[in-house]
Amino acid sequence: MAAPLARGAAPRGQEDGDGARGAAAAVGDGDSKDCILEPLSLPECPGGTTTSEASPSVPCIFCEEHVPVAEQDKLLKHMIIEHKIVIADIKLVADFPRYILYWRKRFTEQPITDFCSVIRINSTAPLEEQDNYFLLCDVLPEDRVLREELQKQRLREILEQQQQERNDNSFRGICMFCNEEFLGNRSVLLNHMAREHAFNIGLPDNIVNCSEFLHTLQKKLNNLQCLYCEKTFRDKNTLKDHMRKKQHRRINPKNREYDRFYVINYLELGKSWEEVQSEDDRELTEHQEDDWSDWEEHPVSAVCLFCEKRAETMEKLCVHMQEAHEFDLLKIKSELGLNFYQQVKLVNFIRRQVHQCRCYGCRVQFKSRADLRTHMEEAKHTSLLPEVKTWDQPEYYFPTYENDTLLCTLSDSESDLTAQGQNGNVTIISEDISKLHALKQSSILNQSLLQECLKH
């Protein structure tokens, strides 16, 4: 039988031998049962619970040793030291307990040598000093099929969980940036963070175990840790400024801790989302044709300054703002003679005031955007802009929203003046003559007149 054969010899700790022996010896050398490596917790339920009730356990393939599922490394070390069996690519096993239980049953039916490759350690030594280790890997067709079936089963479970979360309207969550509470579907909170705080963790339909995901992110923020570069800061304000200025309001794509929250990571055995995505890109490149005649460019829509209305062109958006909010952006640009950068500042200024629910006409702040919009429309404050020096400041070079498409549709005033000149509607702005005496003294005409007099 397999079990007695695997238990037959214990590692003798020779330092020579190949990599498998070195791995086994390394595991054995670090064994210390008296060390406490993490905090311990007493049972929270009255009367306590047993270990098996609190955490499911998984047995050894050959003996009655049991360990909690969360401590699978401990079981793997036990099987190497006591039974000399090594399981290859254990991280690619989708369901570790089911995998172990399957082989536990199979090893009682046939000898271990029918399934495992035998690795002889210290083969040049005398026979009594030689050891055999057994490698269980997916080179064995049965093992490969088992791993694939476990992966498919895990994918079915994940898709069921995802569908349940998509249809769940009892979700309750709090925004990590403004502490606003959201009830209903999880997409409401995720879309809010993407729209209002430029924090996008992906489409809601691509995420699974959303509550656990948000809890993980919130825990990092509570520990004053940046979600992207993962540096720790001294206080919340410093962290917020860092994430805003460095545009770190996103998660670190290299952090494998987040992989379990995305469905794409469950699609293929042993492949991360990056590998799956790169394969898709390669397939598109390989099948790409030279004929681009059917190419259709999808227009990018811009959002109104005061409401959620979207329009595909600048002209349509300006018409909407003029009719719905009595705000004529083109007229303001023409009357004030705004160049491109001043338009950018004005848009960012209005965006920030509306985001903060503050009327820029009377400086009154409201509880919600709906209240602000009602006030500005009733009081006609949408067109009551403050003085130019209020918003024509360097701080408004920076967009309030990183994905503000309106900024990309603004036109340069020079091209506008050229177009107006063709129509005969050129706006002429006179010089400032409030200090006429100083203007006469500094005028270049004085120098030209003096040079002409000297010639004659």
Side-chain angles (χ1 to χ4, degrees), residues 69 264 280 344 385 403 430 453:
V69 174
I264 191 174
D280 293 341
V344 169
L385 288 175
N403 58 345
S430 62
C453 292

Side-chain angles (χ1 to χ4, degrees), residues 42-55:
L42 292 172
E44 297 182 0
C45 300
T49 57
T50 63
T51 303
S52 60
E53 293 173 344
S55 176

Side-chain angles (χ1 to χ4, degrees), residues 48 71 75 88 110 176 195 200 205 254 285 301 346 397 417:
E71 301 178 10
L75 180 61
Q110 293 178 236
M176 295 183 289
R195 182 178 63 252
N200 190 355
D205 287 346
K254 302 296 184 182
T285 305
S301 59
L346 177 60
Y397 276 126
L417 289 176

